[in-house]
Amino acid sequence: MRSRAEIAVCLPILLGPFSLIAGTSELPLTAQPSSSVCTSISSTEEFLSVKGEIGQCGGRLIISKRSEPKTLNPLTAIDNISRDVIGLMTADLIHVNRDSQQPEAALAKSWTVSPDGRKYILRLRHGLRFSDGYPFDADDVVFTFQSYLDERTHAPQRDLLMISGKPIAVKKIDAYSVSFTLAQPYAAAERLFDSIAILPRHLLQRLYEAGQLMNIWGLNTPPTQIAGLGPFRLKEYTPGQRIIFERNPYYWKSDAKRQRLPYLDGIAAVFVTNNDAEALRFESGETDVISRLSVANFAVLERDQQRRKFRLYDLGPGLEYSFLFFNLNDLSSDILPSLKEKQSWFRTVAFRQAVSSAIDRESIIRLVYRGRAYPLSVQVTPGNKLWMNRSIPPPVRSLPRARELLRQAHFSWGSGGSLHDAQGQRVQFSILVNTENVQRVQIATLIQQDLKELGMGVSLVSLESHTFLHHVFTSYEYETAIMTLVDPDPDPNTEINVLSSKGGTHVWHLKSNNTPSWQDEIDLLMQKQSITLNLGERKRIFDRVQDLLWQNMPAVFLISPDILVGAKNRVGNFHPVILGDYTLWNVEQLFIHKEPGAERGS
Amino acid sequence: MRFLLRRAMHTLLILVGASLVSFSLVNLAPGDFFDQMKVNPRISQGTLASLRSQYGLDRPLPVRYLQWVRSVINGQWGFSFAYNSPAGPILWSRSGKTLLLTGVATLLAWSLALPLGGWAGARPGSSIDWLTRGTVAVLLATPELVLALLLLLFAVRTGYFPAGGLTSSEYVPSGLWDQTKDITRHVFLPSICLAAGLLPLLLTHIRTAVSEAFESPYIEAARGHGIPFRRLLLRHVLPLAANPLISLFGLSLGMMISSSLLIEAVFSWPGLGQLMLEAIQQRDFYLVVDTAVLSTAFLIVGNLIADVLLYASDPRIRTE
């Protein structure tokens, strides 16, 4: 097989590049619906029946990925692409529905919580099988959590499973029941189970004992050695080109007609180099779905929707937010000596509020995002429907208010309109941006212009992403910076590391000797909400956190861009959402319309 | 034999030098592979520290260099942090694709340049000569990136060619012939683009070499003896002009590898260029060093091939 492929690679050289080009349009460029027949579910399996349009079995979906996955090991995967691909092959006990944003039963058919909120008992579905046909039971669940918690594995998700510094205790009750005991009550603990991929003990036990789990399931692992409980299983990986998945014949979800899902025969993910190449492949019809479009590509593709039979979707703002932050770190004077003076401005709340007031977010949205973004007052975006504090007013640009705030903080204007502090020092600082993100550079340029109107001298420093991160996280050699963070989940617990002063992504004040009183209050509130089990009470606590952020502005929150995606009309059950990879959250329900004219929009 | 041994020793020394320079420069760049994880609020600093230690990033540079050299000898070529696997197998699968692209492009460029440049040099002022000079001017004035983007746009708008990649998205291998046809369709546009970048250099050099050969007394004498033009060009002029062209051939091989880095990125060609770009962006330390060393190796091998060809074709070099 391999030798044939190698010969095929060499033949074009031997035959010359011209001789074979004509008449090649017969080669299939996109998925063709096949004539596969749906299988009915068996009575011995406890299926999960899902709602949605009844689809047609068969066909292969072609998607693109901006690079190839780096591993198929759920324990060590870090990058989003690897995690997305692994998500096709694996399943979790309780899953956060990407549409409703609420946890729901998955491999666990139900669960109970003890009155003190510390003990969870999960009841598993009976009769399920891994994609290699081997039965699934409580031993696999216990093994999975042991593997994630094993220090030798270095699983990044291990941190999630440590509550108050102690690992979650996992115990088998019987073949289909498992208990989980937490060191202390943890709000929304059900969400911890999401994306913890259940592993096949029968394949991995020996490797676990040998401490080798971190080396399993590389890209070259034969498909027969990989098994999961997801809708698809690995069929073939071609380095640098594509990865192909086929239907898992043992999948445990069904449609309303009791047909076993997934509908698709398989999925092929082709690897492209960047955003633009991804859009080109979609435009040329080589891929069926596109997961994240830039506004520029969205505008170009929008014109071709009818002619090329695809549809684009603007889902509104997701959970991504861009913000300008000031270097508030407590530093020794040998790091950027000039920074010390500037930090006295940055630490003044009125100064930060004035900067926020002077920034024209509407212009940023209009010019950088072509109207496809939302202005932010705090870090919680409108995409986070449950947790957004709606009493906080939307940001409005007001130069008179900005000037008033600066005046109150003893700033003054010299001849020529330049701004000076109480010591007569001209207000000048730089904004650090990641040069690879064009939109962030454009935002910085617009902010530079906005602040010039206040008399501030602002210069831009753009650095490549790793150098940028080094300056922000390690050397602290910057004055202000613009960054974007994406919450993986709408729940406030994912924000603890950003908002708490001891958090690893508390970027504006990573190195702190003392914190202002409002920050201490945020620390307490974030801690309190994480152990409060009553949803209404949690919401009130998190609203207060947002109020404190809005009043004290440790960072100036700017915008949240819209999520832009697209799919061919013939892809059925396509309902993109703002979480995860946006388009394939219900991949088991996606199908290819067979009859012409049956597609959406036709 | 001694000539080859001497050249092999030179090659080895240059590669060691290139690896040392690459190692030091990559190490000087701020940040490392794990920096990107710092923005993930779900990964703690403790986990990052243990990952750094596990992958040996906390060890001194000389120790890491020696470990890398040892792994090169073992055929592993260091370790890719991103792929969590030895870098060697990743490199080999990508190198073949880069060699395919550059091989086709080199063949294409030389197949066009030899007849065009040779004829233009033999008949200065002729219509072919004007055409050649015009082609050189246009290609020199067109940046490779612009040409690549234009070709890509052509592919997308017309649908005649695929918009990048090495094989079709939905390609199911059904036979050697179909595979070959599919790969040929994909290699066509990027190889045109690469060949267009090399063509001006080749045309200019070939034209000059042939033109100079025609002016030599030896050719004048042959012409005086009434040898027909075609025989004169093929049997006498081209061998005379061969030496600089063989050197140019070696150089062109190395140049192609460098140029292909950009073209591969534009056409999503799964070769070394794309791998190198990704490795640099991610600070995948050993993979960056490996791709840099491998690119150097290709350049050296190109020159080595040229030297061997010169050695075989020119008796004066053998005597030296």
Side-chain angles (χ1 to χ4, degrees):
Chain A
M1 183 66 194
R2 171 172 278 206
S3 61
R4 179 194 267 190
E6 280 166 2
I7 295 168
V9 163
C10 297
L11 257 187
I13 301 178
L14 303 173
L15 299 179
F18 298 112
S19 58
L20 303 165
I21 291 159
T24 48
S25 55
E26 308 130 40
L27 278 171
L29 284 177
T30 55
Q32 298 298 311
S34 77
S35 55
S36 295
V37 179
C38 297
T39 55
S40 294
I41 58 175
S42 76
S43 55
T44 55
E45 296 166 85
E46 280 190 316
F47 271 78
L48 173 63
S49 177
V50 291
K51 290 176 191 160
E53 188 187 347
I54 301 294
Q56 297 156 319
C57 286
R60 188 190 276 178
L61 191 79
I62 300 176
I63 58 172
S64 53
K65 292 284 168 198
R66 271 167 227 167
S67 72
E68 59 185 327
K70 304 297 180 270
T71 178
L72 300 175
N73 183 349
L75 294 163
T76 57
I78 295 159
D79 62 297
N80 286 337
I81 290 169
S82 300
R83 301 193 68 79
D84 290 347
V85 162
I86 290 166
L88 295 172
M89 302 188 294
T90 56
D92 36 28
L93 297 171
I94 297 173
H95 191 69
V96 173
N97 182 312
R98 270 38 177 178
D99 189 21
S100 67
Q101 301 185 359
Q102 294 303 318
E104 60 184 27
L107 293 171
K109 61 183 174 187
S110 63
W111 66 90
T112 53
V113 190
S114 64
D116 66 357
R118 285 183 56 228
K119 189 167 182 180
Y120 283 69
I121 294 177
L122 272 65
R123 308 270 172 215
L124 309 179
R125 288 177 198 281
H126 287 241
L128 307 195
R129 287 171 184 275
F130 283 94
S131 55
D132 59 357
Y134 207 90
F136 153 76
D137 62 22
D139 287 330
D140 296 300
V141 174
V142 175
F143 171 75
T144 297
F145 282 82
Q146 269 174 357
S147 305
Y148 274 96
L149 286 164
D150 186 354
E151 282 184 47
R152 296 171 301 175
T153 313
H154 296 286
Q157 279 159 302
R158 182 173 183 269
D159 296 333
L160 279 178
L161 303 176
M162 304 287 288
I163 308 293
S164 298
K166 291 182 186 153
I168 294 177
V170 186
K171 200 174 156 197
K172 175 182 170 183
I173 299 171
D174 59 45
Y176 292 100
S177 307
V178 186
S179 76
F180 296 84
T181 309
L182 283 56
Q184 66 169 48
Y186 187 73
E190 298 92 341
R191 301 181 98 91
L192 292 175
F193 296 101
D194 182 77
S195 302
I196 299 288
I198 299 301
L199 303 169
R201 191 175 74 106
H202 63 282
L203 288 180
L204 303 176
Q205 174 76 43
R206 200 174 40 83
L207 292 160
Y208 168 76
E209 282 159 9
Q212 289 298 313
L213 278 186
M214 63 174 302
N215 298 321
I216 60 162
W217 296 0
L219 291 169
N220 292 318
T221 305
T224 49
Q225 290 176 22
I226 300 177
L229 290 152
F232 295 93
R233 61 186 184 188
L234 179 66
K235 185 180 180 194
E236 177 195 322
Y237 160 71
T238 314
Q241 294 180 64
R242 62 180 173 222
I243 187 162
I244 295 177
F245 299 93
E246 63 183 359
R247 172 191 285 139
N248 171 6
Y250 304 100
Y251 193 53
W252 47 276
K253 285 188 188 176
S254 70
D255 64 14
K257 277 175 73 180
R258 294 179 62 82
Q259 297 182 119
R260 193 191 288 268
L261 297 175
Y263 292 122
L264 295 166
D265 281 343
I267 292 187
V270 294
F271 312 137
V272 296
T273 39
N274 54 42
N275 243 334
D276 299 330
E278 200 173 20
L280 278 174
R281 292 281 183 105
F282 182 68
E283 188 184 8
S284 68
E286 286 182 42
T287 55
D288 296 310
V289 171
I290 184 160
S291 267
R292 187 75 200 258
L293 277 160
S294 67
V295 281
N297 286 330
F298 190 89
V300 172
L301 292 180
E302 213 176 9
R303 296 193 292 262
D304 273 349
Q305 285 189 88
Q306 281 223 312
R307 190 167 64 85
R308 294 193 181 253
K309 295 185 178 169
F310 59 72
R311 189 171 159 197
L312 301 184
Y313 299 76
D314 180 345
L315 308 176
L319 301 182
E320 177 180 326
Y321 55 94
S322 297
F323 57 104
L324 169 78
F325 58 98
F326 306 89
N327 187 342
L328 302 177
N329 293 297
D330 300 319
L331 305 169
S332 59
S333 52
D334 53 333
I335 298 174
L336 285 183
S338 63
L339 181 64
K340 277 275 164 201
E341 291 161 3
K342 294 177 185 182
Q343 280 190 322
S344 65
W345 315 330
F346 301 158
R347 290 197 174 113
T348 308
V349 174
F351 180 86
R352 300 196 297 261
Q353 287 173 330
V355 168
S356 176
S357 264
I359 292 174
D360 187 352
R361 292 168 177 82
E362 291 300 335
S363 290
I364 293 174
I365 291 169
R366 199 175 60 250
L367 298 171
V368 180
Y369 292 94
R370 304 183 192 208
R372 298 190 188 278
Y374 194 91
L376 293 181
S377 299
V378 288
Q379 93 291 3
V380 184
T381 72
N384 195 341
K385 292 184 178 64
L386 180 61
W387 296 100
M388 188 183 180
N389 181 348
R390 295 187 191 279
S391 68
I392 294 175
V396 178
R397 187 185 197 217
S398 171
L399 283 177
R401 180 171 180 267
R403 287 204 180 89
E404 185 52 37
L405 284 163
L406 289 170
R407 220 171 271 126
Q408 285 170 10
H410 311 294
F411 286 87
S412 58
W413 285 267
S415 57
S418 58
L419 185 70
H420 297 262
D421 65 10
Q423 283 73 44
Q425 177 86 13
R426 168 106 204 262
V427 175
Q428 292 182 102
F429 58 86
S430 61
I431 302 178
L432 188 70
V433 280
N434 170 5
T435 194
E436 287 148 38
N437 189 314
V438 180
Q439 288 167 333
R440 249 174 272 163
V441 177
Q442 289 171 334
I443 291 174
T445 310
L446 290 174
I447 291 176
Q448 185 185 30
Q449 293 304 315
D450 289 340
L451 298 184
K452 197 176 168 187
E453 291 182 50
L454 271 188
M456 295 182 187
V458 177
S459 57
L460 302 188
V461 179
S462 56
L463 295 174
E464 158 290 323
S465 66
H466 278 259
T467 314
F468 173 90
L469 292 173
H470 182 78
H471 278 254
V472 171
F473 282 94
T474 310
S475 71
Y476 311 114
E477 289 173 334
Y478 71 99
E479 293 174 350
T480 70
I482 294 178
M483 209 167 144
T484 297
L485 289 176
V486 190
D487 280 333
D489 186 68
D491 193 84
N493 281 342
T494 58
E495 284 282 302
I496 289 179
N497 267 338
V498 181
L499 301 181
S500 299
S501 60
K502 299 281 180 274
T505 28
H506 188 65
V507 285
W508 48 85
H509 203 167
L510 283 163
K511 203 174 175 190
S512 61
N513 297 333
N514 47 49
T515 50
S517 57
W518 54 265
Q519 179 62 57
D520 293 338
E521 191 181 346
I522 289 178
D523 288 355
L524 274 175
L525 290 169
M526 287 307 288
Q527 181 60 30
K528 193 175 169 193
Q529 70 78 30
S530 74
I531 56 169
T532 301
L533 303 178
N534 180 289
L535 183 66
E537 180 58 19
R538 272 189 91 200
K539 172 83 172 101
R540 271 191 293 281
I541 296 170
F542 196 55
D543 279 353
R544 172 68 186 148
V545 170
Q546 292 174 67
D547 279 333
L548 287 167
L549 287 170
W550 170 237
Q551 286 159 17
N552 297 288
M553 261 174 217
V556 177
F557 297 97
L558 300 167
I559 56 95
S560 176
D562 289 3
I563 307 294
L564 308 171
V565 302
K568 280 186 185 165
N569 291 343
R570 63 203 199 88
V571 180
N573 267 332
F574 185 72
H575 304 297
V577 294
I578 60 157
L579 284 186
D581 81 340
Y582 315 124
T583 51
L584 300 183
W585 67 278
N586 61 339
V587 66
E588 66 275 12
Q589 289 180 275
L590 297 185
F591 67 95
I592 307 289
H593 282 283
K594 286 174 188 168
E595 299 89 22
E599 309 95 6
R600 286 167 296 119
S602 58
Chain B
M1 194 60 198
R2 201 194 296 161
F3 170 78
L4 277 177
L5 272 175
R6 206 170 54 225
R7 287 308 314 256
M9 282 305 293
H10 284 170
T11 303
L12 195 66
L13 281 177
I14 294 170
L15 285 178
V16 170
S19 67
L20 278 169
V21 170
S22 309
F23 230 84
S24 313
L25 288 179
V26 177
N27 191 59
L28 277 178
D32 62 40
F33 175 77
F34 299 100
D35 275 346
Q36 204 71 47
M37 292 179 208
K38 286 178 176 170
V39 292
N40 186 339
R42 287 181 161 182
I43 301 177
S44 73
Q45 298 303 309
T47 302
L48 285 179
S50 69
L51 282 168
R52 275 204 178 85
S53 157
Q54 182 208 328
Y55 286 109
L57 282 177
D58 53 353
R59 284 174 213 151
L61 192 65
V63 176
R64 279 153 60 196
Y65 182 75
L66 288 176
Q67 282 175 338
W68 176 78
V69 171
R70 206 173 302 138
S71 76
V72 170
I73 295 166
N74 292 337
Q76 296 199 325
W77 287 71
F79 194 83
S80 163
F81 307 138
Y83 289 86
N84 194 31
S85 73
I90 306 168
L91 288 169
W92 305 136
S93 72
R94 300 301 191 97
S95 304
K97 280 138 199 169
T98 293
L99 287 176
L100 167 70
L101 176 62
T102 52
V104 171
T106 308
L107 198 67
L108 190 61
W110 278 92
S111 324
L112 286 171
L114 263 179
L116 268 178
W119 195 266
R123 294 280 161 90
S126 66
S127 53
I128 295 277
D129 187 30
W130 279 106
L131 177 71
T132 306
R133 281 150 67 177
T135 308
V136 168
V138 170
L139 289 178
L140 276 178
T142 313
E144 253 176 58
L145 182 64
V146 173
L147 184 64
L149 291 175
L150 284 174
L151 288 175
L152 205 53
L153 193 68
F154 170 75
V156 173
R157 295 289 168 191
T158 62
Y160 294 155
F161 291 97
L166 172 65
T167 51
S168 296
S169 314
E170 175 61 7
Y171 186 69
V172 181
S174 54
L176 186 61
W177 179 244
D178 279 345
Q179 281 187 40
T180 310
K181 275 208 297 188
D182 189 46
I183 291 171
T184 306
R185 283 183 79 236
H186 283 80
V187 84
F188 187 68
L189 290 185
S191 62
I192 290 258
C193 205
L194 262 182
L198 185 65
L199 209 52
L201 179 81
L202 296 187
L203 282 173
T204 313
H205 275 81
I206 293 170
R207 184 185 175 280
T208 310
V210 170
S211 176
E212 277 173 6
F214 256 105
E215 284 165 12
S216 66
Y218 150 70
I219 297 297
E220 284 291 330
R223 197 184 285 164
H225 278 87
I227 297 174
F229 174 75
R230 188 167 295 180
R231 186 181 161 86
L232 190 71
L233 181 64
L234 295 177
R235 290 287 302 275
H236 301 287
V237 174
L238 282 182
L240 191 61
N243 275 14
L245 298 186
I246 288 172
S247 305
L248 186 63
F249 175 73
L251 188 69
S252 72
L253 283 178
M255 278 176 64
M256 278 290 187
I257 300 287
S258 320
S259 310
S260 73
L261 303 187
L262 172 77
I263 302 299
E264 283 181 12
V266 176
F267 284 96
S268 303
W269 187 264
L272 269 185
Q274 207 177 312
L275 185 71
M276 188 178 198
L277 191 73
E278 215 176 273
I280 291 171
Q281 281 170 346
Q282 297 184 332
R283 292 278 198 282
D284 200 348
F285 191 91
Y286 297 109
L287 216 47
V288 176
V289 173
D290 289 341
T291 46
V293 171
L294 219 54
S295 299
T296 314
F298 283 138
L299 184 69
I300 297 169
V301 168
N303 282 324
L304 191 65
I305 291 172
D307 284 351
V308 172
L309 287 175
L310 276 176
Y311 185 83
S313 74
D314 193 338
R316 288 171 297 180
I317 296 174
R318 285 201 293 273
T319 313
E320 280 169 25

